[in-house]
């Protein structure tokens, strides 16, 4: 029997089965979750906003006030070395002395955050703020999710002792993701992907009801207070053509291949820093390497990358293809080093910068490649390799360009790129230093 015939038989057999007897969750069971979800959503977004605001103030001092007072160039090679080394020393000191060492090794964590004891959280918040201000190429997502999850579980257990811990974890993760991306859609996609293959009670929307409220509350709070935007304001893309499809397929696969280089390198680079054994050696050494990379790639390769990629996209003709390629490689290397040496942070936002620079490089090499197609396809491929989150990769790639015509291209481009990354090591390590598969 052919594969297609077998598929038809299975479909017919499935259609003849009795409908699922799993009852939907009644409204009276969902209504009590609304207030806790709203509270978690608002609190999670306020904590994120507080950490980022404090980090921005410190960043202004480190990169503007102090060098201006000393008469040193704000982003001179000397000053980048000094600040990144000092950041490594400061973070290393906190990791060494703080209770719980400011959380687990960041190379072993992802968006599914562990629940940490409350005593660990101040140190983790402190090193996250220092990292964001000092310039290492990591974002706030992983540590902020871990803090929000841990606080939600701790406070939720006190307020509602009978509520399951997993519920607070899901609410806090959804709320933080909604706040990070400024929309609950990202949280819905991540949770739906996490629920795939799991046995859930009731309908899917029943499981998403409270997390979506938390994500919407987080997104709305951050939008009202900070008005974040991922739109790069690139030229609008109209109707796709065959050449656009070819470009999207090629660039997405190139992005995935480049991202996989970092994935395969992570255990080895991480192992080199682990041989130093002590955070007061690992993190300052990482700071020196990051300083050298910043000297090579320029100041736009510093920090988490959202503001910097907006600056790149604002003037695509301001850099040559070689300069875009240099920034692409340097930023990816900086992401790899920062993750390996112990800086606490996430990998999504720097990966978006890497993809943006790669897409701009593709346009500079082949001007016929539309900017929206090049950037979105490169970001898609890079995020598929770094995160293994298919829906979120598509979502982020699409919102960067806000051109509906590019979505069909991205969906098609995601398929060969996914074949390149699925089943292979992920950019996350087990505690023994081996890659997660």
């Amino acid at each position: 029997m052919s594969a297609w015939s077998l598929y038809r038989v299975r479909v017919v057999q499935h259609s003849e089965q009795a409908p699922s007897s799993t009852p939907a969750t009644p409204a009276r069971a969902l209504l009590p979750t609304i207030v806790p979800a709203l509270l978690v959503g608002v609190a999670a977004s306020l904590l994120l906003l507080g950490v980022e605001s404090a980090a921005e103030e410190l960043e202004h001092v480190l990169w503007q006030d102090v060098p201006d007072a000393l008469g040193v160039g704000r982003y001179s090679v000397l000053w980048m070395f000094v600040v990144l080394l000092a950041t490594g020393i400061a973070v290393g000191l906190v990791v060494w002395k703080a209770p719980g060492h400011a959380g687990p090794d960041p190379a072993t964590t992802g968006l599914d955050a562990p629940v940490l004891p409350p005593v660990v959280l101040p140190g983790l918040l402190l090193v996250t703020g220092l990292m964001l201000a000092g310039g290492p190429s990591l974002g706030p997502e992983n540590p902020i999710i871990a803090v929000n999850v841990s606080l939600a579980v701790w406070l939720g257990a006190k307020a509602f002792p009978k509520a399951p811990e997993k519920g607070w974890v899901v609410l806090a993760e959804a709320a933080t993701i909604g706040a990070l991306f400024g929309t609950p859609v990202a949280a819905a996609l991540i949770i739906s992907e996490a629920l795939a293959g799991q046995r859930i009670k009731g309908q899917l929307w029943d499981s998403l009801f409270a997390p979506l409220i938390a994500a919407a509350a987080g997104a709305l709070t951050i939008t009202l207070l900070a008005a974040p935007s991922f739109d790069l304001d690139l030229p609008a893309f109209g109707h796709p053509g065959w050449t656009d499809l070819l470009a999207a397929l090629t660039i997405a696969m190139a992005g995935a291949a480049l991202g996989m280089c970092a994935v395969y390198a992570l255990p080895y680079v991480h192992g080199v820093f682990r041989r130093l054994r002590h955070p007061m050696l690992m993190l300052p050494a990482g700071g020196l390497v990051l300083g050298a990379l910043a000297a090579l790639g320029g100041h736009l390769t510093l920090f988490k990358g959202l503001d910097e990629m907006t600056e790149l996209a604002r003037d695509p003709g301001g850099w040559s293809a070689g300069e875009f390629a240099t920034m692409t490689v340097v930023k990816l290397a900086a992401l790899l080093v920062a993750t390996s040496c112990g800086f606490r942070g996430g990998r999504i936002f720097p990966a978006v910068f890497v993809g943006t620079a790669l897409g701009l490089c593709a346009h500079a090499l082949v001007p016929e490649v539309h900017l929206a197609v090049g950037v979105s396809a490169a970001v898609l491929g890079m995020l598929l390799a770094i995160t293994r989150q298919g829906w979120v990769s598509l979502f982020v790639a699409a919102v960067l360009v806000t051109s509906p015509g590019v979505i069909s291209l991205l969906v098609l481009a995601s398929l060969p790129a996914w074949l390149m990354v699925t089943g292979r090591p992920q950019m996350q390590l087990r505690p023994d230093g081996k890659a997660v598969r």
Side-chain angles (χ1 to χ4, degrees):
M1 183 181 293
S2 68
W4 176 246
S5 300
L6 181 61
Y7 172 77
R8 292 183 60 190
V9 168
R10 288 177 176 175
V11 169
V12 171
Q13 290 175 344
H14 180 75
S15 65
E16 293 174 350
Q17 293 175 357
S20 174
S21 59
T22 303
T25 304
R28 64 177 179 274
L30 297 176
L31 287 173
T33 67
I34 294 177
V35 172
L38 289 172
L39 292 175
V40 171
V42 173
S45 62
L46 290 177
L47 188 141
L48 170 64
L49 187 60
V51 171
E52 290 197 325
S53 298
E56 287 175 4
E57 292 297 324
L58 180 57
E59 178 186 334
H60 191 278
V61 172
L62 291 176
W63 294 98
Q64 297 183 34
D65 295 345
V66 175
D68 289 351
L70 295 176
V72 180
R74 292 180 176 179
Y75 293 105
S76 64
V77 171
L78 172 62
W79 192 247
M80 288 191 291
F81 266 105
V82 168
V83 175
L84 285 163
L85 174 60
T87 302
I89 293 172
V91 172
L93 184 62
V94 177
V95 172
W96 178 27
K97 293 295 186 180
H101 304 291
D105 182 348
T108 65
T109 62
L111 293 180
D112 49 342
V115 179
L116 303 174
V119 71
V120 179
L121 305 184
L124 182 55
L125 285 174
L126 179 57
V127 295
T128 302
L130 291 171
M131 180 276 299
L132 291 173
S137 294
L138 293 172
E141 57 273 22
N142 289 11
I144 294 299
I145 289 176
V147 172
N148 279 332
V149 163
S150 302
L151 285 175
V153 169
W154 181 52
L155 295 174
K158 291 182 177 296
F160 303 93
K162 295 183 179 180
E165 178 180 296
K166 184 178 180 181
W168 296 111
V169 171
V170 174
L171 288 183
E173 288 181 346
T176 311
I177 293 168
L180 283 164
F181 292 97
T183 171
V185 176
L189 294 173
I190 290 177
I191 295 172
S192 299
E193 199 161 0
L195 290 175
Q198 295 187 18
R199 187 181 297 274
I200 60 175
K201 183 179 180 180
Q203 304 294 323
L204 174 62
W205 207 250
D206 295 334
S207 298
L208 292 176
F209 182 80
L212 275 180
I213 293 174
L220 184 59
T221 301
I222 209 81
T223 300
L224 292 174
L225 297 177
S229 175
F230 284 81
D231 185 7
L232 295 180
D233 198 26
L234 295 173
F237 177 74
H239 297 289
W242 291 112
T243 55
D244 297 315
L245 176 59
L246 178 61
L249 292 169
T250 304
I251 296 170
M253 288 190 290
L258 184 60
M260 288 305 300
C261 292
V263 171
Y264 279 110
L266 178 61
Y268 301 100
V269 179
H270 182 267
V272 170
F273 283 104
R274 290 301 104 180
R275 292 190 183 95
L276 298 176
R277 296 183 179 275
H278 200 284
M280 287 302 292
L281 295 176
M282 292 186 294
L283 283 149
L288 286 175
V289 176
L290 292 174
L293 289 170
L296 179 63
H299 73 277
L300 290 178
T301 59
L302 294 171
F303 307 107
K304 65 182 180 181
L306 290 186
D307 294 336
E308 290 72 23
M309 74 180 187
T310 301
E311 185 172 343
L312 283 183
R314 190 179 298 123
D315 183 20
W319 292 270
S320 67
E323 289 171 323
F324 282 129
T326 299
M327 286 188 278
T328 300
V329 175
V330 166
K331 186 69 173 182
L332 187 60
L335 167 60
L336 177 61
V337 170
T339 300
S340 300
C341 72
F343 284 108
R344 272 53 176 168
R347 299 178 276 277
I348 292 179
F349 294 128
V352 174
F353 177 97
V354 176
T356 300
L358 178 62
L360 293 171
C361 177
H363 172 75
L365 285 172
V366 184
E368 291 77 14
V369 173
H370 195 282
L371 278 169
V373 173
V375 168
S376 59
V379 169
L380 171 65
M382 183 61 59
L383 286 180
L384 285 174
I386 299 298
T387 69
R388 302 302 158 85
Q389 297 277 351
W391 284 122
V392 170
S393 300
L394 280 167
F395 169 76
V396 173
V399 299
L400 289 176
V401 297
T402 61
S403 294
V406 83
I407 294 177
S408 57
L409 296 179
L410 293 178
V411 172
L412 290 172
S414 70
L415 303 179
W418 181 254
L419 291 177
M420 296 177 64
V421 304
T422 186
R424 291 176 169 79
Q426 301 182 31
M427 198 167 187
Q428 184 176 340
L429 303 180
R430 303 198 307 248
D432 61 3
K434 295 182 179 180
V436 173
R437 286 184 176 269

